[in-house]
Amino acid sequence: DAGVIQSPRHEVTEMGQEVTLRCKPISGHDYLFWYRQTMMRGLELLIYFNNNVPIDDSGMPEDRFSAKMPNASFSTLKIQPSEPRDSAVYFCASTGEGQINTEAFFGQGTRLTVV
Amino acid sequence: GESVGLHLPTLSVQEGDNSIINCAYSNSASDYFIWYKQESGKGPQFIIDIRSNMDKRQGQRVTVLLNKTVKHLSLQIAATQPGDSAVYFCAENNYTGTASKLTFGTGTRLQVTL
């Protein structure tokens, strides 16, 4: 397996534009997580899915953020409209085969810069 | 104005020496703990985990110790190598019965000197 795949690796956009980050989890994993990493706040959990259903989105900062998982092999994190303070590295991770209390495999991340 | 970012504690260790990285966690109900390693430009990578019913677990060159009394976790790396240079995060998991949340610490930067 190629691991968790995220795209794009880097994204630079202007304030006000819509940004869509993509993630392909490891095949067979039941849980998918979206994290944000900044120097100010470290690694923060934004939302996670179990079997494509959002379970906990309490970490999503604002209504400008939304996440979907239309099927077991794909998830998106959308920011609309984007703001400079959204600049961060966004990680997707997956875990499971039925277990959440196990190691999570992280993607390489998407570095988002909003100017 | 200038923003204030996280000041990562840094541990400098000479190659071949043992490293000990410490972590204090916040929730006494946390039932599962993980150590992750993050190299520059990469995502966190799992190192070792431990459940709350254990106080020690060993892997290859790594040992995790859990002290629930003082809510303290440590990662010991034996014979530290240059490739061990990275930021290390501890994470605690709290399962509420309907949802589970993994909370990461702020991290410690390990620098291995030759």
Side-chain angles (χ1 to χ4, degrees), chain A residues 1 6 9 12-13 19 28 30 41 45 53 57 64 68 79-80 82 85-86 90 94 97 99 102-103 110 114:
Chain A
D1 201 311
Q6 292 185 246
R9 288 295 311 276
V12 180
T13 191
V19 176
D30 297 337
R41 303 172 69 92
L45 176 65
V53 176
D57 64 355
R64 298 184 297 107
K68 294 181 179 180
I79 308 172
Q80 181 185 21
S82 58
R85 60 195 170 114
D86 301 330
Y90 291 81
S94 72
E97 294 182 12
Q99 301 177 56
T102 185
E103 64 176 290
T110 294
V114 183

Side-chain angles (χ1 to χ4, degrees), chain A:
Chain A
D1 201 311
V4 176
I5 300 173
Q6 292 185 246
S7 64
R9 288 295 311 276
H10 302 273
E11 176 81 33
V12 180
T13 191
E14 290 185 346
M15 182 175 64
Q17 296 297 307
E18 175 183 303
V19 176
T20 300
L21 311 181
R22 297 172 175 80
C23 175
K24 181 180 186 305
I26 292 174
S27 177
H29 280 190
D30 297 337
Y31 292 87
L32 183 140
F33 306 82
W34 281 102
Y35 287 89
R36 178 173 67 176
Q37 187 174 39
T38 62
M39 285 300 296
M40 291 284 290
R41 303 172 69 92
L43 263 167
E44 302 173 275
L45 176 65
L46 301 177
I47 185 171
Y48 79 90
F49 296 82
N50 177 215
N51 291 322
N52 314 338
V53 176
I55 302 300
D56 184 353
D57 64 355
S58 60
M60 295 286 262
E62 303 173 29
D63 291 346
R64 298 184 297 107
F65 286 69
S66 62
K68 294 181 179 180
M69 192 165 185
N71 57 64
S73 60
F74 184 66
S75 177
T76 59
L77 178 68
K78 184 179 293 185
I79 308 172
Q80 181 185 21
S82 58
E83 296 182 3
R85 60 195 170 114
D86 301 330
S87 297
V89 180
Y90 291 81
F91 288 103
C92 176
S94 72
T95 190
E97 294 182 12
Q99 301 177 56
I100 190 170
N101 284 357
T102 185
E103 64 176 290
F105 293 84
F106 283 76
Q108 296 278 57
T110 294
R111 180 175 295 277
L112 173 65
T113 303
V114 183
V115 298

Side-chain angles (χ1 to χ4, degrees), chain B residues 20-95:
Chain B
I20 299 176
I21 302 171
N22 296 305
C23 174
Y25 63 92
S26 57
N27 192 337
S28 58
S30 294
D31 55 3
Y32 177 63
F33 304 88
I34 313 175
W35 279 100
Y36 281 91
K37 171 186 180 183
Q38 187 175 24
E39 297 173 286
S40 180
K42 296 184 178 181
Q45 180 184 12
F46 172 90
I47 303 174
I48 192 168
D49 59 0
I50 188 168
R51 300 196 184 277
S52 59
N53 60 352
M54 303 170 67
D55 53 21
K56 180 179 180 179
R57 190 164 188 218
Q58 287 185 293
Q60 186 177 17
R61 278 204 308 122
V62 294
T63 301
V64 56
L65 299 178
L66 174 63
N67 185 333
K68 293 183 289 292
T69 303
V70 296
K71 292 189 286 186
H72 183 268
L73 201 63
S74 69
L75 176 71
Q76 300 177 4
I77 304 174
T80 312
Q81 302 170 359
D84 295 327
S85 294
V87 177
Y88 289 81
F89 294 94
C90 68
E92 58 180 305
N93 184 76
N94 184 19
Y95 183 63

